[in-house]
Structures are given as structure tokens and as C-alpha cells.
Amino acid sequence: MPSKLTKVALVVGSVLGVAMSSMASAQAEVISMPSHEKSFASPIGGDIMVGSRDETINRIAPLNMVGTTREAFVTTTAYGQINAAATGKLKVGYHVGCAVTIGTGTLGATPDLIIPIPLNGPNGPNGPVGPNGPNGNNYPNQPNFPNFPNYPNRPNWPNWPNANWNNGNGGNGNGNNGNGNNGNGNNVNNVPILVNPNPVVTLNLQAGEVAEVELAEKEMIPGKLIQIVVRDFHIKVDTCTGPVTLRQFAYVYATSPEVDDSGAVFGDPTWL
């Protein structure tokens, strides 16, 4: 049966193995994403349009070489137009989702103290109160001692000082682990105490979440095509085990004295 230390090592090894396999799959790779565009009739009068194009995602191996970190460089062009008597803003960014977040961990121990009982010690099986000791049921040839359990004045039994008691010949049945009344043999008080540390590693895994990463925004001019060009924007996700998903967004907000309006397009999701 594996020890607790072995079990901990297996658990930690499994977590690290998953992390390293994720890291191995995150080699440099550039993918091109499809374009998206939408137009909306606006109650402001006229219409508003929003879109994105030329999106590429360059997946790269993390600098720290840890599988729970993901990195990518993203490039994209977002654009929009308000064909109405209104002002507004164009905003572009990414939604980043992590399946499982690794929170703060702890490393500790729940030690066990193991105190061995010597065979010949006071509480051992061969000691005075043990089953094999002078007072026990299994003492050699006990059935041949007349009325041994009830024998009066047992400490004065003939030759009792020579009885084998506590790894020595105890004097008067009370020898202190040695010969004679005072005893000079092995001292059971020097028996070493063993410690099993029982190490414990705790990882606080939390449900994944989705974060919004804004790349840029720009004021819009009525009737003009407004663009935001982003090249090699660095996206980094830490302490995430399992898939990391990216999805681009582009928003147009239009504002007039009477109406606030908006529109959006979303890119295709992809993983890091």
C-alpha cells in the first residue's frame, strides 16, 4: 500500500503532468480568423455599422515554461460607421475564459508520533504485566507452579530474583531492567520515538471565469468610417488549468440628444 507521501507525490505529479502536457501543446502557431460585419437600422435615423477583419492569433509557448500560463499575440482591425446625426465610440477587445483557476495553495504536514513498546519493557508482551512475563498467563512452565495465580508472597518465591524480567534479572521481582535490586540492563526510556511527517499539499481550485480585455477605443465622427488597428497585442493568462478560450468583440456606441444606440460583432472562439 503506498504511503501518504507517495500519494501526495502522485497527486502533485498528476497536476504537473497535466500542466506540462498543456504547455507542450502551446507551441508557436499563427491562425487567421474570419471577418465579421453587421449593420443596424437605428431609431436615431439612418444606420450604424460595426465589423472586424484581419484577425490573427499567434499562440506562443509561455516564457516561464509553465503549463498553467498561456500567451498569445493578437492582431486585428475593428471598424465602424454611424450614418446618423449622432456621435459615438468604437471599442475593440477580447473575452478571455479560463476553465479552472488555481488559487492559493498550502503545503503542510499532519505528523504522527510512533512510540515503540519494547518486547521486554514494562508494558511489552515479555514484561512483568505482559502475557509472556512473570505475571502473565504464558509465563514458561506456569502450570507447573503450584497455584501460581494465587501463590502468596509471590515476590518471595524461591529463586524469584533470577526470573527473566525486562531484558535482565530483576531483583525481588522489581528489577529496573537489569540485575539485582537496582538493575543495570537496557533502559526502555531510551527507545527512540519515530515521526511520520504525513506531508499535505492543498491546491485551491476555483470555478473558471470570463474576463473582458479591452484593447482600444476611439471617438467616432458621423458619416465617417472609423478604424482601430491593433498589431501584436500581448495577452497572458496565469494560474489556469484546462482550456483557455479567446473571443474578439467590437462595439459601436451611438449617442444623440434623444437616443443611445449600440451594435456589436463577435469573432469565432479559439483556444490558447
Side-chain angles (χ1 to χ4, degrees):
M1 180 179 295
S3 66
K4 293 183 180 180
L5 179 59
T6 303
K7 292 179 181 178
V8 169
L10 291 174
V11 171
V12 175
S14 299
V15 173
L16 293 179
V18 172
M20 293 302 291
S21 64
S22 301
M23 180 193 70
S25 64
Q27 301 302 315
E29 178 185 8
V30 179
I31 59 172
S32 297
M33 305 298 291
S35 300
H36 298 272
E37 181 179 302
K38 287 183 180 180
S39 293
F40 307 91
S42 175
I44 297 175
D47 61 80
I48 57 177
M49 179 266 291
V50 61
S52 66
R53 63 174 185 267
D54 304 328
E55 180 189 6
T56 61
I57 297 176
N58 182 7
R59 304 183 184 118
I60 60 173
L63 285 178
N64 60 4
M65 302 301 289
V66 174
T68 55
T69 295
R70 317 297 168 79
E71 292 188 72
F73 297 122
V74 298
T75 296
T76 188
T77 298
Y79 57 92
Q81 187 167 339
I82 300 175
N83 297 314
T87 59
K89 288 184 178 181
L90 173 65
K91 184 167 74 171
V92 62
Y94 278 87
H95 293 133
V96 181
C98 171
V100 180
T101 301
I102 302 177
T104 303
T106 58
L107 175 62
T110 56
D112 293 331
L113 297 181
I114 302 173
I115 304 176
I117 298 177
L119 293 177
N120 298 320
N123 297 315
N126 297 335
V129 297
N132 301 323
N135 298 321
N137 295 327
N138 298 326
Y139 189 69
N141 301 319
Q142 182 173 309
N144 298 326
F145 292 169
N147 301 319
F148 187 83
N150 301 316
Y151 190 79
N153 302 316
R154 186 183 303 175
N156 297 323
W157 178 270
N159 299 320
W160 182 266
N162 295 323
N164 186 359
W165 188 339
N166 290 344
N167 210 23
N169 294 321
N172 292 331
N174 266 326
N176 185 16
N177 298 323
N179 295 314
N181 292 327
N182 295 323
N184 296 311
N186 296 331
N187 187 349
V188 296
N189 293 327
N190 293 328
V191 175
I193 296 176
L194 306 179
V195 179
N196 183 359
N198 293 333
V200 176
V201 177
T202 302
L203 295 178
N204 297 321
L205 301 181
Q206 303 171 0
E209 58 185 26
V210 178
E212 183 171 293
V213 179
E214 182 177 329
L215 273 59
E217 68 175 43
K218 185 173 178 60
E219 296 288 337
M220 301 190 69
I221 302 172
K224 299 288 186 178
L225 180 66
I226 305 301
Q227 300 183 77
I228 297 175
V229 179
V230 177
R231 295 184 178 90
D232 292 332
F233 185 92
H234 182 218
I235 292 181
K236 178 176 68 72
V237 181
D238 287 316
T239 63
C240 180
T241 181
V244 174
T245 305
L246 296 180
R247 183 183 62 200
Q248 188 197 67
F249 65 81
Y251 296 138
V252 164
Y253 301 97
T255 300
S256 73
E258 295 83 14
V259 178
D260 289 337
D261 200 356
S262 65
V265 293
F266 298 93
D268 291 357
T270 188
W271 56 269
L272 290 184

